[in-house]
Amino acid sequence: MSGSALFSRWRLWVLSLLLAAALLAGLAGCTLLGRSTPDPWAVYRPVLAENTRYVLDTRRDWTQYFIDFNIDTTAHTIQGHQVTQVSNPSAELWYDVYFRLFPNLPQLGGDITVANVTVNGQTTPYTYAADRSALRVNLREPLPPGGSVRIEFDFEATYPTPDTGYVLFGDKDGIVNLPVAYPMLAVFDETAPVSQTMPSWTLDTPAPFGDLAFTQAALYQVTATVPSSYTMIATGMPLGRVDNPNGTSTWRWVGGPNREWMMTMGPDFQVRSTLAYSTTVNSHFLPGDEAAGEKALTYAAAALRVYQDLFGRYPYTHMDIVASPLEYRGMEYPGLDLLGIDLYRQRQQDLEFLIAHEVAHQWWYNLVGSDPVRTPWLDEGLAEYSTYLYQEAVHGKAAADALLHTRWQIPVDYARRNGLDAPLNQPTTAFAPGAYETMVYAKAALFFHAVRQTVGDDAFFRILRAYVARYRFAEANPDDFITLAEQMSGKSLRDVYQEWVLSATPTGR
């Protein structure tokens, strides 16, 4: 199917969704003298919990992705067509727009190429950048602040079938994980110096360990065509599937605002569901893991309730927990968390902790964004310390203190005694692989505990709620957090920040 035909199909589908949303809502806008103002975000509102739908109205410049995926599970290829409506929220003129091509990173082992690039319907030059981990699209005419442009292209990707146990991107034993499987708009950094050779876009090459993608919240409308034997689970709200005569099925979703789009699929998933307040929580697991799948559902619903009480409302109507070939680890995506299959089998004792950590990332990564490559400790430390708050709420303070001592204090003390301590406020690439988790997770968690002890419980939880409210679907940096914490508590935290974040214990102490 041609790109123009795909986009025409999208427009028809979007129009039908808008009509349905308008009928459900009664009036999608304000009525004056018999006329109604169309709601530009009507199609996205059902994705959000009713009392969080207002966040769509806080901006008129949301990036919007319209993506069609056609996935061949035999050839391990993806044929895609993408339309991205991009607005310039900065105060700078944009001469180019950059997209990240993460499958081209060596640690993912895939490949992605782009063709037939147009800007507002006109063919435009493009080049690869940052060792093919980015795409530079020439805009022909500068995009002024507040301006908007439609960038359209085809893309083709391949994904691997690794023999390793941990497969975040690719096919492992029939489960296919496809994060970052499309060109993702890079983040424009207004603070960076303007230069022809160093563009003001974040194009950092991430370390082989740690998270890959620094992204901004956007709105998504997605279709994916796959063999009918597969069940697909994805970010956002499913709108259904259509079975095609050729043995494939086409699935549709709408989502947003969220930091990225994630799809996972397999032929054997079973599902159990429950409510956590007004959110439907789904636990997807493999045959034979029913008991662990039920436990995962219980833990996820409990974490969602605890964190909503402490941090503020979870924004979506759905959340999915999915068993995945990640060994005993987990990985967060908007409204969807992957948990390693080993946690359902050999290491069930760790399942509750990992779920509590990954669910916390729905606040510390998706709601409040930060740069996971340049300052990885900020969201990981908050997600890690949130597990202390979960333990405290569900199992009591003694259980929380035991977690703090064994998981964080002992490793950090060991690192300090053996010259392995390091400042937190540095990029992923600055950490030795063996010290990364001790510093970015354990030491960072202890920093947030120190903040709590300094300001007291009442102020600490007011700080966290204010942090979410101020940076909801925006991006924060460490200075933003510490400034807000000082404002909310009325106390200086610079000594705590210096000790835990900016300093390392000298060797031999």
Side-chain angles (χ1 to χ4, degrees):
M1 186 179 293
S2 69
S4 59
L6 282 167
F7 190 60
S8 296
R9 186 178 78 181
W10 261 115
R11 285 185 294 184
L12 288 172
W13 181 55
V14 171
L15 284 173
S16 67
L17 286 172
L18 288 171
L19 285 171
L23 288 171
L24 289 172
L27 284 176
C30 302
T31 302
L32 180 64
L33 299 178
R35 294 185 178 183
S36 62
T37 302
D39 178 0
W41 315 127
V43 69
Y44 304 104
R45 293 197 192 276
V47 181
L48 296 170
E50 188 170 357
N51 63 354
T52 61
R53 292 174 184 172
Y54 72 91
V55 300
L56 291 166
D57 301 313
T58 61
R59 291 176 55 178
R60 309 300 286 181
D61 60 353
W62 294 107
T63 297
Q64 294 186 76
Y65 290 88
F66 305 86
I67 311 175
D68 284 286
F69 295 97
N70 195 313
I71 302 168
D72 185 331
T73 56
T74 301
H76 309 115
T77 60
I78 303 168
Q79 302 288 335
H81 182 78
Q82 179 170 320
V83 178
T84 314
Q85 192 70 31
V86 179
S87 298
N88 178 0
S90 77
E92 306 287 340
L93 283 173
W94 286 4
Y95 299 90
D96 306 285
V97 169
Y98 283 80
F99 291 83
R100 299 307 309 264
L101 305 176
F102 289 114
N104 289 338
L105 293 172
Q107 58 262 49
L108 291 191
D111 186 78
I112 186 168
T113 57
V114 175
N116 305 320
V117 180
T118 65
V119 174
N120 290 336
Q122 293 189 320
T123 301
T124 192
Y126 64 94
T127 57
Y128 295 101
D131 293 327
R132 295 186 69 245
S133 74
L135 175 77
R136 172 182 170 269
V137 177
N138 182 274
L139 294 182
R140 291 187 174 274
E141 296 181 2
L143 184 65
S148 180
V149 67
R150 194 187 85 198
I151 301 175
E152 186 170 1
F153 44 71
D154 298 311
F155 64 92
E156 182 172 352
T158 61
Y159 58 88
T161 57
D163 293 331
T164 58
Y166 183 92
V167 179
L168 188 61
F169 179 79
D171 183 334
K172 175 69 174 178
D173 298 332
I175 296 177
V176 183
N177 287 333
L178 294 175
V180 299
Y182 59 97
M184 304 172 70
L185 185 66
V187 177
F188 184 80
D189 183 2
E190 287 190 82
T191 66
V194 177
S195 166
Q196 293 296 323
T197 57
M198 294 294 291
S200 301
W201 296 80
T202 53
L203 306 179
D204 302 357
T205 300
F209 50 90
D211 293 336
L212 300 172
F214 179 32
T215 56
Q216 293 177 308
L219 307 177
Y220 287 84
Q221 296 179 38
V222 177
T223 70
T225 300
V226 300
S228 295
S229 58
Y230 281 84
T231 295
M232 299 204 70
I233 306 156
T235 298
M237 184 176 73
L239 299 175
R241 60 180 275 182
V242 175
D243 293 327
N244 305 313
N246 64 353
T248 65
S249 297
T250 299
W251 300 68
R252 291 182 171 85
W253 301 269
V254 61
N258 37 264
R259 300 277 159 191
E260 56 187 300
W261 185 264
M262 166 62 180
M263 299 180 295
T264 184
M265 61 183 185
D268 299 321
F269 282 121
Q270 300 182 20
V271 63
R272 300 287 188 274
S273 303
T274 192
L275 282 176
Y277 296 145
S278 59
T279 297
T280 298
V281 181
N282 302 306
S283 172
H284 307 265
F285 50 88
L286 298 178
D289 296 334
E290 289 81 5
E294 292 280 3
K295 289 180 181 178
L297 181 64
T298 299
Y299 300 148
L304 200 59
R305 295 186 190 100
V306 168
Y307 297 151
Q308 289 191 85
D309 291 343
L310 296 178
F311 310 146
R313 185 64 188 263
Y314 175 78
Y316 311 120
T317 57
H318 293 77
M319 185 178 75
D320 294 283
I321 302 293
V322 188
S324 194
L326 303 186
E327 297 177 330
Y328 54 89
R329 300 180 181 274
M331 186 63 196
E332 71 279 358
Y333 297 97
L336 188 160
D337 294 314
L338 302 183
L339 278 302
I341 292 171
D342 288 357
L343 295 166
Y344 292 73
R345 298 174 182 174
Q346 296 94 339
R347 296 182 62 162
Q348 283 193 34
Q349 70 275 15
D350 297 328
L351 182 61
E352 183 175 18
F353 172 84
L354 263 294
I355 287 176
H357 177 98
E358 303 305 342
V359 172
H361 273 302
Q362 298 304 323
W363 282 263
W364 321 125
Y365 143 74
N366 187 44
L367 266 176
V368 180
S370 57
D371 190 333
V373 177
R374 297 182 183 181
T375 54
W377 71 270
L378 186 54
D379 77 294
E380 291 296 356
L382 269 169
E384 191 78 352
Y385 188 64
S386 295
T387 65
Y388 180 96
L389 305 178
Y390 170 88
Q391 290 284 340
E392 199 172 32
V394 175
H395 300 294
K397 189 175 186 305
D401 287 342
L403 173 72
L404 182 149
H405 179 71
T406 58
R407 184 170 174 86
W408 306 326
Q409 194 67 64
I410 290 176
V412 170
D413 287 347
Y414 176 87
R416 286 176 163 174
R417 288 195 306 270
N418 291 276
L420 301 175
D421 195 10
L424 292 181
N425 209 34
Q426 50 185 349
T428 305
T429 51
F431 293 96
Y436 175 76
E437 289 196 16
T438 301
M439 295 294 103
V440 169
Y441 291 70
K443 187 179 178 182
L446 292 175
F447 162 72
F448 289 107
H449 190 64
V451 170
R452 181 182 178 183
Q453 291 177 311
T454 302
V455 303
D457 281 6
D458 288 346
F460 182 73
F461 291 113
R462 282 191 285 108
I463 289 165
L464 294 184
R465 287 190 290 270
Y467 188 52
V468 171
R470 181 171 297 186
Y471 296 102
R472 182 182 285 111
F473 295 122
E475 293 72 51
N477 60 47
D479 284 342
D480 293 328
F481 176 83
I482 206 71
T483 299
L484 177 64
E486 290 183 326
Q487 290 172 349
M488 297 294 297
S489 67
K491 295 186 177 182
S492 174
L493 294 168
R494 296 297 157 171
D495 288 345
V496 175
Y497 191 62
Q498 179 69 37
E499 177 185 356
W500 289 99
V501 176
L502 301 182
S503 303
T505 302
T507 301
R509 176 174 292 185

